[in-house]
């Protein structure tokens, strides 16, 4: 959990903007919810390496080590971006042939997170004899892994190569902590819903503690409506996705803050069972998503893809099922009664002994946490 500069500032990021964002994260109490990583995306890199082959930061970042120290003093973590190519996606210098230097430099600066973006590596890869083989996709990530893991720091390794060559199948092998599963998200309903609702559903068996599917950073608080932002955040929580904020934390409105600081929704995302939710469509552009949680609980999301609000009767008995593929957990609605907590609206919990009437706004999602009612006799 944390924040990254890209969705908010793109290549126009600076140390001042990063520091003031981190300060806003602290001032608004977001660190208390678990947001910890402050990640600089592309455009921090100097135009040339020094005589030792070390890559320094450009004028916008006059003191990387100092910035890292300040973040650490505030209890936060420090993230950075690079590419295995000659250049990054934004045409800044990449790490090619200098992976060892760069890993060492990250360690010196106190880096805790590296986003490593394929992009500019494409040109080199095109010239490789074995391109298009899985080995050719894995190679640059394996190389950086070797040097990263030689560092004394515990550095989160975040792969960014848009889900090519089924990265979810080999990400754990290069000790990646997360891997992007798709192309870039933007702050439109079309982009967010295409990535979130359509491109992730088959990937749920590949998420596991320490090795996560990454459907890209959050757009909550950017150009999405409140309903869309709620659907986005809820869905990312159901997917156990990294929650990396991408909005301007300094100027966000109350609705945005309320969404990203919903403790119970965050708890679904961060649940210690570490299982990604799966989807069961129920027709008329309504989907239900189900996520087994620790302690016998379940999270349920009811997503309305229509522009208009819908009413849907959630008959629990229709969802007696077992998650055979990952957790082995069954809902057992025919045997167990659960309490049902509405995670966005609060209020008195209901029970699964009768169907739940769900009202969901247009392009919005309702979200619930089910907890088994223990039989008092046992
Ligand atoms: C893209 C990447 C984005 C951002 C950008 C920076 O390849 O997917 O998330 O990092 O590069 O140039």
């Amino acid at each position: 959990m944390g924040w990254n500069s890209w969705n908010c500032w793109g290549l126009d990021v600076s140390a001042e903007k990063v520091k003031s964002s981190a300060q806003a994260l602290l001032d608004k109490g977001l660190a208390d919810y678990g947001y910890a990583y402050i990640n600089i995306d592309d455009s921090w890199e100097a135009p040339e390496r020094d005589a030792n082959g070390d890559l320094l930061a450009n004028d916008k970042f006059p003191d990387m080590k100092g910035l890292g120290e300040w973040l650490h003093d505030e209890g936060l973590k420090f993230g950075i971006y690079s590419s295995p190519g000659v250049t990054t996606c934004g045409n800044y210098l990449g790490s090619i042939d200098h992976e060892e230097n760069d890993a060492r430099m990250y360690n010196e600066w106190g880096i805790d997170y590296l986003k490593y973006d394929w992009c500019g590596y494409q040109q080199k890869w095109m010239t490789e004899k074995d391109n298009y083989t899985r080995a050719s996709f894995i190679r640059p990530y394996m190389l950086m892994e070797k040097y990263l893991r030689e560092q004394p720091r515990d550095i989160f390794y975040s792969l960014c190569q848009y889900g090519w060559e089924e990265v979810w199948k080999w990400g754990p092998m290069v000790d990646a902590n997360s891997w992007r599963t798709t192309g870039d998200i933007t702050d439109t309903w079309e982009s967010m819903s295409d990535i979130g609702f359509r491109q992730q559903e088959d990937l749920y068996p590949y998420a596991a503690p320490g090795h996560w599917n990454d459907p890209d950073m959050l757009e909550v608080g950017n150009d999405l409506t409140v309903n869309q932002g709620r659907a986005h955040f809820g869905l990312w929580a159901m997917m156990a996705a990294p929650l990396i904020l991408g909005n301007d934390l300094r100027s966000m409105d109350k609705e945005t803050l309320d969404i990203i600081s919903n403790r119970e929704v965050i708890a679904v995302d961060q649940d210690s069972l570490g299982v990604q939710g799966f989807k069961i469509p129920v027709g008329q552009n309504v989907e239900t998503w189900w996520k087994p949680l620790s302690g016998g609980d379940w999270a349920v999301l009811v997503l309305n893809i229509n522009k208009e609000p819908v009413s849907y009767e959630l008959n629990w008995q229709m969802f007696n099922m077992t998650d055979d593929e990952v957790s082995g957990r069954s809902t057992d609605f025919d045997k167990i009664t659960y309490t049902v907590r509405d995670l966005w609206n609060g209020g008195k919990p209901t029970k699964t002994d009768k169907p739940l009437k769900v009202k969901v706004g247009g392009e919005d999602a309702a979200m619930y946490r089910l907890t088994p009612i223990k039989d008092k006799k046992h």
Side-chain angles (χ1 to χ4, degrees):
M1 291 176 69
W3 173 88
N4 172 295
S5 58
W6 182 253
N7 287 352
C8 179
W9 282 304
L11 298 176
D12 196 21
V13 62
S14 65
E16 191 280 322
K17 284 175 176 162
V18 170
K19 205 167 168 184
S20 57
S21 300
Q23 190 62 56
L25 184 135
L26 295 166
D27 293 346
K28 296 185 183 183
L30 287 168
D32 301 340
Y33 293 90
Y35 295 100
Y37 289 95
I38 299 291
N39 297 349
I40 305 172
D41 210 279
D42 204 357
S43 101
W44 60 266
E45 309 87 339
E48 281 173 14
R49 290 179 177 271
D50 69 8
N52 301 323
D54 287 341
L55 178 52
L56 307 173
N58 59 35
D59 296 348
K60 298 190 295 172
F61 292 90
D63 181 11
M64 279 296 210
K65 199 166 161 39
L67 180 57
E69 278 165 5
W70 180 78
L71 289 168
H72 289 149
D73 285 349
E74 296 293 337
L76 299 172
K77 291 177 186 288
F78 189 18
I80 207 162
Y81 164 99
S82 189
S83 167
V86 178
T87 54
T88 65
C89 237
N91 230 6
Y92 288 78
L93 276 193
S95 293
I96 199 163
D97 299 333
H98 294 89
E99 292 82 359
E100 190 175 1
N101 293 64
D102 289 1
R104 220 182 321 109
M105 191 60 100
Y106 301 151
N107 181 57
E108 254 170 57
W109 288 346
I111 294 293
D112 305 296
Y113 184 118
L114 172 67
K115 172 174 169 184
Y116 206 42
D117 182 11
W118 176 277
C119 213
Y121 183 74
Q122 183 78 5
Q123 284 159 302
K124 162 140 195 312
W125 176 81
M126 290 296 282
T127 64
E128 285 173 354
K129 282 206 184 71
D130 66 345
N131 62 14
Y132 294 100
T133 62
R134 184 155 294 190
S136 72
F137 283 92
I138 295 177
R139 196 176 300 125
Y141 288 100
M142 210 145 180
L143 187 62
M144 184 49 105
E145 180 221 357
K146 171 172 150 39
Y147 295 119
L148 269 193
R149 297 308 180 217
E150 279 174 6
Q151 306 308 316
R153 296 192 71 75
D154 183 10
I155 301 178
F156 187 104
Y157 191 25
S158 160
L159 272 47
C160 175
Q161 47 81 280
Y162 336 113
W164 290 347
E165 195 53 28
E166 301 183 309
V167 60
W168 39 88
K169 292 195 177 158
W170 52 265
M173 206 185 86
V174 300
D175 202 14
N177 300 108
S178 68
W179 45 83
R180 276 271 296 279
T181 52
T182 70
D184 288 17
I185 196 168
T186 59
D187 55 352
T188 62
W189 172 255
E190 288 68 33
S191 162
M192 187 281 284
S193 58
D194 182 47
I195 287 178
F197 314 158
R198 287 186 272 283
Q199 295 191 42
Q200 308 301 317
E201 52 183 294
D202 297 333
L203 305 186
Y204 88 94
Y206 300 102
H211 308 283
W212 308 103
N213 289 317
D214 173 11
D216 208 354
M217 301 170 292
L218 294 162
E219 293 283 11
V220 183
N222 292 336
D223 205 9
L224 296 178
T225 65
V226 175
N227 285 11
Q228 294 170 347
R230 199 164 30 225
H232 178 20
F233 197 71
L235 190 56
W236 262 235
M238 293 302 284
M239 295 192 291
L243 296 180
I244 304 291
L245 303 167
N247 60 313
D248 188 345
L249 300 178
R250 305 168 309 175
S251 61
M252 71 183 145
D253 53 26
K254 181 174 179 311
E255 285 89 351
T256 301
L257 183 59
D258 285 350
I259 293 173
I260 64 177
S261 62
N262 184 311
R263 207 177 277 285
E264 291 181 286
V265 175
I266 293 172
V268 169
D269 179 78
Q270 298 283 309
D271 185 80
S272 59
L273 199 60
V275 174
Q276 180 167 334
F278 53 90
K279 162 165 131 178
I280 303 186
V282 291
Q284 293 175 329
N285 282 334
V286 178
E287 295 175 358
T288 62
W289 286 72
W290 299 78
K291 183 180 196 285
L293 303 175
S294 53
D297 287 15
W298 284 82
V300 185
L301 180 114
V302 182
L303 179 69
N304 175 18
I305 299 172
N306 301 287
K307 288 211 176 313
E308 305 306 320
V310 294
S311 296
Y312 169 69
E313 187 168 271
L314 212 176
N315 182 354
W316 303 105
Q317 298 309 326
M318 305 278 285
F319 294 96
N320 277 305
M321 60 187 170
T322 301
D323 167 25
D324 286 320
E325 244 182 296
V326 182
S327 67
R329 288 267 311 280
S330 303
T331 50
D332 285 332
F333 288 123
D334 50 347
K335 300 192 199 90
I336 302 174
T337 305
Y338 297 78
T339 56
V340 182
R341 254 192 80 67
D342 183 332
L343 301 190
W344 290 120
N345 301 311
K348 196 165 172 275
T350 54
K351 288 187 197 164
T352 53
D353 56 357
K354 47 177 177 305
L356 179 71
K357 289 195 170 51
V358 182
K359 280 202 175 132
V360 201
E363 298 179 336
D364 199 348
M367 200 166 164
Y368 304 95
R369 185 179 185 117
L370 314 185
T371 304
I373 300 175
K374 299 271 180 313
D375 184 340
K376 290 211 180 68
K377 281 180 282 188
H378 296 289

